[in-house]
């Protein structure tokens, strides 16, 4: 399966909440980083029904797991930019696989190597 973009965690939250801002992207195939899965399911106040819905959503996505290439790129990004580790991992995944990132997080804009599609909220 061809992946058209990697969805950032905030994209998945908007999708889960039914926010129409993500509708134009739903006709495409998208992947998610393992880190987004951790961020979504690791939320402290998550209810059992929310967890079930999020797991179903994640199961419909191509999962991008941790590997040595992503690790090396993450280290480079952490050294070059002042970004949080989860963001560095997600950006590194996009860079390694040469897939755009769809996100509402403007912080990704400073990463020159990243092909970013910024959702305007």
């Amino acid at each position: 399966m061809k992946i058209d973009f990697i969805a950032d965690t905030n994209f998945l939250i908007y999708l889960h909440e039914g926010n129409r801002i993500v509708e134009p992207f739903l006709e495409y195939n998208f992947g998610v980083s393992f880190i987004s899965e951790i961020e979504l399911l690791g939320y402290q106040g998550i209810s059992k029904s929310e967890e079930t819905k999020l797991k179903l959503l994640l199961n419909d996505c191509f999962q991008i797991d941790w590997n040595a290439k992503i690790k090396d790129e993450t280290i480079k990004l952490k050294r070059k930019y002042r970004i949080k580790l989860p963001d560095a991992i997600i950006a590194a995944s996009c860079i390694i696989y040469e897939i755009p990132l769809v996100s509402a997080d403007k912080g990704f804009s400073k990463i020159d190597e990243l092909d970013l599609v910024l959702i305007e909220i």
Side-chain angles (χ1 to χ4, degrees):
M1 171 173 76
K2 179 187 179 295
I3 301 172
D4 298 303
F5 66 90
I6 293 177
D8 189 19
T9 307
N10 57 44
F11 178 97
L12 298 168
I13 291 169
Y14 297 146
L15 181 58
H16 173 68
E17 292 174 345
N19 189 323
R20 297 180 63 119
I21 195 99
V22 297
E23 280 182 8
F25 299 96
L26 299 182
E27 62 189 72
Y28 299 98
N29 295 318
F30 58 92
V32 296
S33 169
F34 74 95
I35 204 78
S36 290
E37 182 177 2
I38 292 168
E39 287 181 321
L40 286 172
L41 299 177
Y43 179 70
Q44 195 168 14
I46 192 170
S47 70
K48 199 67 175 156
S49 68
E50 279 182 315
E51 180 181 359
T52 301
K53 288 178 189 173
L54 288 169
K55 282 183 178 179
L56 288 171
L57 169 65
L58 290 165
N59 286 340
D60 285 341
C61 303
F62 181 83
Q63 302 285 322
I64 298 171
D65 289 320
W66 187 244
N67 63 45
K69 288 181 180 180
I70 292 173
K71 178 179 69 174
D72 291 343
E73 187 65 27
T74 299
I75 292 167
K76 288 179 198 171
L77 293 174
K78 284 289 292 171
R79 286 182 180 164
K80 187 172 181 180
Y81 303 100
R82 295 184 73 133
I83 54 176
K84 295 177 278 181
L85 180 60
D87 290 350
I89 292 169
I90 291 169
S93 301
C94 294
I95 293 165
I96 290 299
Y97 291 109
E98 298 179 350
I99 303 171
L101 174 66
V102 175
S103 176
D105 185 346
K106 291 181 177 140
F108 284 109
S109 299
K110 63 182 161 188
I111 303 172
D112 297 328
E113 303 87 339
L114 182 62
D115 182 1
L116 176 64
V117 177
L118 195 60
I119 300 171
E120 296 291 335
I121 299 295

